[in-house]
Amino acid sequence: MLSRTADHLFWMSRYTERAENTARMLDVNYQTSLLPQSAQAAQIGWQGLLTISELLPSYQALHGEITPAKVMNFMVREENNPSSIVSCLKAARENARAVRGTLTTEAWETQNQTWLEVNRMLYQGEFERDPGQFFEWVKYRSHLSRGVTVGTMLMDEALHFMRIGTFLERADNTARLVDNKFHALHSDFFGAGTDGVQEYDFYHWSAVLRSVSGFEIYRRVYRDVIQPERVAELLILRPDMPRSLHASLNEVVSNLSFIVSDPSSASQRKAGKLRADLQYGQIDEILATGLHAFLTQFLDRVNELGAHISREFLVPTSA
């Protein structure tokens, strides 16, 4: 396969997954902002969303003061923000158009229809009327794109590059979400009564779990009250949780094995080492050494892995 074709397929999938994950992060912030909390705690939450997306400087340059409405508008429809939902869906559609001949008709039409529909919805004000419903729609379109791709594409290199892009992006975003929400926990409700903290914790972590479609999974796996350390274990180490770091790296390693011909491939080696750390890791050890440090290092290694994959297989330009 031509490296340019592989590059378009890889980034088409990454941008589609990024739009979904942006919708998930916005949704959990929107839901938690409805909980009783101080103005300072709410401000920290919205600022944290910009920080984990590495967008705080660009946001402040455009809008200055951090308000929920401005942050959501910036993260949903701001064309000057390359990580906004509109920008991601546009980039996904443009990458799909560039390799139209490689995609099935159903895969192309799904990407194209998503782009046309999101413009209609924003023009008609559907996002402002019901943000939660709009975020659900974005997630549904991403699910549809993945399902159509797996259900109609030939199981060859094209599909494997698309899957690698999807799961690298998912690992990156899940790590950012967990890191941000554990930091937010330490900032909220200092000085509140024990009952208030416990009640807030439940709704806080329920919203986090729902943002990664993990609430029912948590109940089924742990059958207990929601505890932060178990949420971390579920989203980092559980290989049977679809959006966990471990599950994402399993998919990356599996799909890399189909396209790598060189046994000394740096990409495959780095992916395997990163997966092994998750496979044999224990949440107690991670928490003891520092969750933030672990996730920061994980993000660095995922970015390094993505760079190696680009140099080894794709067009050697930043996207």
Side-chain angles (χ1 to χ4, degrees), residues 3-4 21 43 67-68 73 78 92-93 123 129 163 178 197 203 205 216 219 223 233 276 289 292 297 300 305 308 313:
S3 62
R4 185 168 296 278
N21 282 288
Q43 182 84 353
T67 66
N73 190 69
E78 179 60 65
R93 191 255 187 187
Y123 178 76
R129 280 196 294 274
R163 300 286 285 175
V178 174
V197 171
Y203 289 110
W205 292 113
E216 291 86 358
R219 290 299 198 196
R223 302 179 184 275
E233 181 180 54
T289 56
H292 177 64
Q297 185 185 54
D300 290 341
L305 174 58
H308 272 277
F313 304 105

Side-chain angles (χ1 to χ4, degrees), residues 24 27-37 41-42 44-46 177-189 196-212 215 226-229 231 235:
R24 288 178 180 276
D27 194 30
V28 70
N29 258 63
Y30 175 68
Q31 297 297 334
T32 53
S33 71
L34 302 178
L35 299 173
Q37 58 183 316
I44 289 171
W46 290 108
L177 177 68
V178 174
D179 191 25
N180 173 254
K181 291 307 172 184
F182 268 80
H183 267 273
L185 179 66
H186 296 297
S187 305
D188 296 340
F189 284 86
V197 171
Q198 289 177 345
E199 182 180 2
Y200 178 75
D201 277 359
F202 173 79
Y203 289 110
H204 176 93
W205 292 113
S206 295
V208 172
L209 287 169
R210 291 183 192 280
S211 77
V212 291
F215 184 78
I226 299 175
Q227 299 176 13
E229 58 272 18
V231 174
L235 299 184

Side-chain angles (χ1 to χ4, degrees), residues 29-30 81 124-125 135 148 164 177 185 202 208 210 218 248 261 282 301 315 319:
N29 258 63
Y30 175 68
N81 171 15
Q124 294 181 353
F135 297 142
V148 167
I164 291 169
L177 177 68
L185 179 66
F202 173 79
V208 172
R210 291 183 192 280
Y218 182 97
S248 298
S261 56
Q282 292 186 321
R301 293 173 70 185
V315 177

Side-chain angles (χ1 to χ4, degrees), residues 68-130:
K70 287 181 179 180
V71 172
M72 286 208 292
N73 190 69
F74 178 73
M75 296 294 288
V76 170
R77 66 196 316 161
E78 179 60 65
E79 294 183 1
N80 292 323
N81 171 15
S83 293
S84 71
I85 289 174
V86 163
S87 294
C88 288
L89 293 179
K90 180 180 181 180
R93 191 255 187 187
E94 290 303 307
N95 277 283
R97 187 172 62 85
V99 289
R100 172 68 185 83
T102 305
L103 299 173
T104 59
T105 299
E106 293 93 334
W108 157 249
E109 288 181 349
T110 300
Q111 291 287 346
N112 192 44
Q113 184 63 32
T114 299
W115 170 240
L116 296 173
E117 189 72 5
V118 74
N119 281 284
R120 181 195 66 77
M121 293 174 74
L122 293 176
Y123 178 76
Q124 294 181 353
E126 293 188 25
F127 165 60
E128 287 79 7
R129 280 196 294 274
D130 191 345

